[in-house]
């Protein structure tokens, strides 16, 4: 049963990306510089949390910071939410090992943002209250739609949360010299405190601070790399080719994903998954109006694009400055033969590069910022999960919209503590499992279930409650089933000779299934509820475009 659960949660993305946050690590001596900088960050964010707790007077304040976050600040916070440790360590590690193909994930993540900007950001802000469930339930029957959206959201959040928790433990075990279990416990306690008392306002400022620090650190690293090659990209690539064991192959595509179906499917998952991540969509409800929502997406896209460019430079810089340097490599005996392996694995290339270009002090800074990156991401995830339970399930389904604000807040805080405990337990349980590529699974699930139903709910008047719920669940379960039956699980984890489903990523199949099934079921639906759903689209369209209208089109 345990093996089956591991298989169920494993993802459909290349394992090289997963190694950014998992795998065996060698515990290092206590890094006092890193711990000191980490404590400074924790103290600063605790002060922010205390300040934010004084301003949280209602559910709106708690979930969306009262809708008072400006577009620029919200854009930086979105960038902070998106620039996870997996992005910083993972993409630079892929460039370090495979070269050019490291851009696959960068491009996939970045291309999703124009979709968010032009299709859904403004309408989300005009329609929603707290969560994306509010949007798809706007004109549909509340109970079944919210149950589907809450289940889908919680699945995405938990998968994402496990990856980040395990990543935090591994990073601290390696960089700070602390026990893995202590590191997991520290992350769990801090994220619960941030969310429990500070809500969205504190989480936003934690993400802003972390984003600025990470961008500054990555900029310095990229600058020092370019300085070492006289600011010549030609020199950067030429020197990297000269020292890399793959030679000129690092400048050619095909090192990561050579199958065209898998390549396209992975791209679709990353592109449309962005528009279906609940903790990202929730950020559009924190701005005062649609104009600021568009501005926040533009700002976020700019910072994220700049950040991914830096990781590309950092990856090639690590090739030049770390390769053949015995300080960062150790000689091991593997199967009777000697082999040279980077200390901590290639996933730590960016961290080792930080020491190479800035010494121990900068290594401590990057270590603390990387850990802070995970803290910011898990805080946003827990807040989104708490809102799915308290707002979507308790207040809207169980209490049928009649829950008092203080009741909803109490359930939200209980859920926050529960999610914190679950995250700690899962982080410890999956300590030795290669689970960081669950980030890819989270994107695949979000792209397969959340995005199609969200798009249809906002743009197609024919969508019915029955079509949305059945179409969403069909695609959700199909995505999980195909991942299990694919080579990543059926062969690599369960040990079968060949996969039942030949492709690693199912998004190219599951996304069309979601659209087609939801449309066909809606067209065949002749119920009274279906007619009511379609009539409600007119009010929904008016509000989504102009922002004028009631909080909900109809009462169900």
């Amino acid at each position: 049963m345990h093996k089956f659960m591991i298989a169920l949660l494993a993802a459909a993305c290349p394992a090289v990306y997963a190694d950014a946050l998992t795998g065996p690590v060698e515990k290092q001596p206590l890094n006092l510089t890193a711990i000191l900088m980490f404590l400074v960050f924790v103290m600063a964010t605790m002060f922010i949390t205390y300040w934010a707790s004084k301003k949280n007077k209602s559910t709106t304040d708690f979930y969306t910071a009262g809708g008072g976050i400006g577009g620029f600040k919200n854009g930086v916070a979105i960038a902070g939410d998106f620039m996870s440790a997996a992005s910083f360590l993972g993409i630079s590690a892929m460039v370090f090992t495979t070269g050019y193909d490291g851009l696959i994930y960068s491009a996939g993540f970045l291309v999703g943002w124009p979709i968010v900007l032009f299709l859904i950001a403004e309408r989300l802000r005009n329609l929603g209250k707290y969560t994306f469930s509010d949007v798809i339930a706007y004109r549909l029957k509340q109970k079944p739609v919210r149950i589907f959206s809450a289940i889908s959201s919680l699945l995405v959040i938990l998968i994402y949360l496990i990856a980040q928790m395990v990543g935090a433990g591994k990073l601290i075990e390696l960089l700070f010299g602390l026990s893995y279990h202590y590191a997991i416990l520290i992350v769990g306690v801090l994220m619960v405190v941030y969310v429990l008392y500070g809500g969205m306002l504190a989480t936003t400022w934690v993400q802003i601070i972390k984003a600025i620090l990470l961008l500054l650190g990555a900029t310095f690293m990229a600058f020092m790399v370019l300085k070492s090659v006289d600011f010549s990209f030609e020199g950067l690539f030429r020197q990297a080719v000269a020292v890399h064991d793959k030679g000129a192959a690092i400048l050619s595509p095909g090192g990561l994903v050579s199958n065209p179906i898998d390549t396209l499917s992975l791209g679709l998952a990353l592109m449309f998954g962005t528009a279906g991540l609940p903790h990202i969509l929730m950020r559009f409800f924190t701005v005062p109006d649609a104009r600021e929502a568009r501005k926040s997406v533009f700002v976020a896209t700019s910072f994220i694009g700049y950040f991914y460019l830096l990781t590309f430079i950092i990856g090639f810089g690590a090739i030049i400055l770390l390769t053949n340097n015995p300080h960062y490599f150790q000689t091991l005996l593997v199967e009777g033969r000697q082999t040279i392996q980077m200390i901590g694995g290639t996933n730590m290339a960016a961290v080792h590069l930080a020491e190479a270009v800035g010494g121990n002090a900068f290594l401590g800074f990057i270590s603390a910022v990387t850990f802070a990156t995970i803290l910011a991401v898990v805080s946003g995830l827990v807040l989104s999960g708490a809102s799915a339970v308290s707002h979507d399930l308790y207040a809207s389904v169980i209490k049928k919209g009649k829950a008092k604000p203080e009741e909803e807040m109490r359930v939200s805080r209980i859920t926050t503590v529960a999610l914190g405990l679950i995250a700690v337990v899962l982080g410890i349980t999956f300590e030795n499992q290669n689970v960081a590529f669950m980030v890819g699974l989270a994107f695949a699930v979000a792209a397969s279930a959340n995005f199609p139903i969200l798009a249809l709910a906002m743009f197609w008047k024919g969508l019915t409650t029955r079509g949305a719920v059945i179409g969403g669940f069909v695609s959700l379960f199909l995505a999980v089933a195909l991942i299990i039956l694919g080579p990543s699980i059926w062969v690599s984890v369960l040990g079968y000779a060949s996969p039942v489903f030949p492709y690693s990523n199912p998004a190219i199949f599951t996304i069309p299934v979601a659209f087609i099934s939801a449309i066909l079921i809606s067209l065949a639906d002749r119920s009274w509820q279906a007619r009511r759903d379609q009539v409600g689209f007119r009010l929904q369209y008016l509000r989504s475009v102009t922002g004028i209208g009631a909080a909900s089109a109809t009462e169900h």
Side-chain angles (χ1 to χ4, degrees), residues 241-264:
V241 168
V243 299
H244 201 283
D245 58 356
K246 295 181 180 179
I250 62 173
L251 299 182
S252 303
L256 275 179
V257 186
S258 56
N259 185 300
I261 298 296
D262 267 330
T263 303
L264 181 58

Side-chain angles (χ1 to χ4, degrees), residues 381-438:
L381 289 168
V382 169
L383 182 61
S384 180
S387 67
V389 173
S390 61
H391 179 67
D392 297 330
L393 291 181
Y394 177 77
S396 301
V397 174
I398 297 176
K399 288 293 186 177
K400 300 179 180 179
K402 297 179 181 179
K404 296 179 181 179
E406 55 269 21
E407 292 178 337
E408 187 174 337
M409 287 292 294
R410 182 170 63 251
V411 173
S412 181
R413 290 193 166 98
I414 293 173
T415 305
T416 297
V417 175
L419 285 174
L421 292 174
I422 292 172
V424 170
V425 171
L426 292 177
I428 293 174
T429 302
F430 288 90
E431 174 186 358
N432 296 316
Q433 300 296 328
N434 196 354
V435 295
F437 52 109
M438 286 183 178

Side-chain angles (χ1 to χ4, degrees), residues 210-225:
K210 160 255 170 171
I212 293 173
L213 292 177
L214 184 59
L215 284 170
L216 289 175
T219 298
F220 176 76
M221 293 172 66
F223 175 83
M224 295 302 291
V225 167

Side-chain angles (χ1 to χ4, degrees), residues 123-162:
R123 297 192 177 204
L124 274 177
R125 177 59 191 87
N126 287 335
L127 284 173
K129 290 176 63 180
Y130 307 134
T131 67
F132 97 99
S133 298
D134 290 325
V135 176
I136 63 175
Y138 184 83
R139 65 184 176 93
L140 305 177
K141 191 172 183 179
Q142 298 282 315
K143 184 176 180 178
V145 168
R146 287 189 183 276
I147 290 175
F148 156 72
S149 60
I151 291 174
S152 180
S153 296
L154 287 172
L155 180 60
V156 172
I157 290 166
L158 284 175
I159 294 170
Y160 221 133
L161 194 58
I162 293 172

Side-chain angles (χ1 to χ4, degrees), residues 53-76:
S53 67
K54 300 298 183 182
K55 295 182 175 292
N56 287 333
K57 305 297 183 183
S58 65
T59 53
T60 302
D61 294 332
F62 184 79
Y63 291 133
T64 64
I69 304 296
F72 182 84
K73 289 185 290 186
N74 192 54
V76 178

Side-chain angles (χ1 to χ4, degrees), residues 494-509:
L494 299 181
Y496 291 96
S498 60
V500 178
F501 178 70
Y503 305 109
S504 297
N505 197 299
I508 194 172
F509 303 100

Side-chain angles (χ1 to χ4, degrees), residues 19 21-28 167 169-175 178 180 330 341 343-345 347-348 431-432:
D19 290 340
L21 290 179
T22 55
V25 299
E26 178 183 335
K27 187 175 178 181
Q28 302 296 299
K170 292 297 181 182
L171 283 170
I172 299 309
E173 184 181 14
L174 175 68
L175 300 174
L178 298 178
Y180 175 84
Q330 58 188 347
Q341 178 176 309
I343 296 174
N347 50 64
M348 302 309 296
E431 174 186 358
N432 296 316

Side-chain angles (χ1 to χ4, degrees), residues 223-546:
F223 175 83
M224 295 302 291
V225 167
L226 291 176
K227 181 181 178 182
S228 69
V229 295
D230 297 324
F231 298 97
S232 168
F233 280 98
E234 180 185 355
L236 177 69
F237 299 139
R238 184 175 61 251
Q239 291 188 35
V241 168
V243 299
H244 201 283
D245 58 356
K246 295 181 180 179
I250 62 173
L251 299 182
S252 303
L256 275 179
V257 186
S258 56
N259 185 300
I261 298 296
D262 267 330
T263 303
L264 181 58
S265 190
L266 174 61
L268 290 174
L270 297 177
M271 183 168 61
F272 293 111
T274 303
L277 294 175
H279 66 292
I280 296 294
L281 297 178
M282 192 174 181
R283 295 224 55 91
F284 294 113
F285 307 133
T286 64
V287 292
D289 52 46
R291 180 177 178 272
E292 293 300 304
R294 293 193 302 271
K295 180 179 178 181
S296 65
V297 178
F298 178 79
V299 171
T301 305
S302 301
F303 280 119
I304 292 169
Y306 172 67
F307 172 75
Y308 285 146
L309 175 62
L310 296 180
T311 59
F312 191 66
I313 298 173
I314 289 170
F316 272 98
I319 295 174
I320 295 173
L321 299 178
L322 301 182
T323 301
N324 301 325
N325 189 327
H327 179 68
Y328 303 109
F329 290 81
Q330 58 188 347
T331 302
L332 300 175
L333 194 64
V334 179
E335 297 179 352
R337 294 178 300 176
Q338 282 192 336
T339 181
I340 298 177
Q341 178 176 309
M342 176 174 280
I343 296 174
T346 55
N347 50 64
M348 302 309 296
V351 177
H352 288 321
L353 181 64
E355 182 180 22
V357 301
N360 189 59
F362 190 62
L363 171 64
F365 173 80
I366 288 296
S367 301
V369 169
T370 303
F371 188 66
T373 294
I374 295 179
L375 276 179
V377 173
V378 295
S379 296
L381 289 168
V382 169
L383 182 61
S384 180
S387 67
V389 173
S390 61
H391 179 67
D392 297 330
L393 291 181
Y394 177 77
S396 301
V397 174
I398 297 176
K399 288 293 186 177
K400 300 179 180 179
K402 297 179 181 179
K404 296 179 181 179
E406 55 269 21
E407 292 178 337
E408 187 174 337
M409 287 292 294
R410 182 170 63 251
V411 173
S412 181
R413 290 193 166 98
I414 293 173
T415 305
T416 297
V417 175
L419 285 174
L421 292 174
I422 292 172
V424 170
V425 171
L426 292 177
I428 293 174
T429 302
F430 288 90
E431 174 186 358
N432 296 316
Q433 300 296 328
N434 196 354
V435 295
F437 52 109
M438 286 183 178
V439 171
L441 176 57
F443 273 81
V445 173
S448 301
N450 291 357
F451 171 73
I453 304 306
L454 179 65
L456 288 173
M458 289 194 299
F459 293 102
W460 185 47
K461 67 178 180 180
L463 182 69
T464 66
T465 299
R466 188 175 298 171
V469 173
I470 296 178
F473 273 126
V474 166
S475 184
L476 179 65
F477 292 137
L478 182 62
V480 175
L482 292 182
I483 288 170
I484 294 174
L485 297 175
S488 298
I489 306 302
W490 200 252
V491 176
S492 301
V493 177
L494 299 181
Y496 291 96
S498 60
V500 178
F501 178 70
Y503 305 109
S504 297
N505 197 299
I508 194 172
F509 303 100
T510 53
I511 292 175
V513 165
F515 278 105
I516 293 171
S517 59
I519 290 173
L520 291 180
I521 293 170
S522 295
L523 292 175
D525 191 355
R526 294 291 184 266
S527 66
W528 173 84
Q529 180 62 51
R531 293 193 297 272
R532 192 175 187 183
D533 294 337
Q534 294 164 357
V535 169
F537 177 80
R538 299 170 185 171
L539 293 177
Q540 181 197 48
Y541 181 82
L542 174 65
R543 180 172 174 85
S544 68
V545 174
T546 66

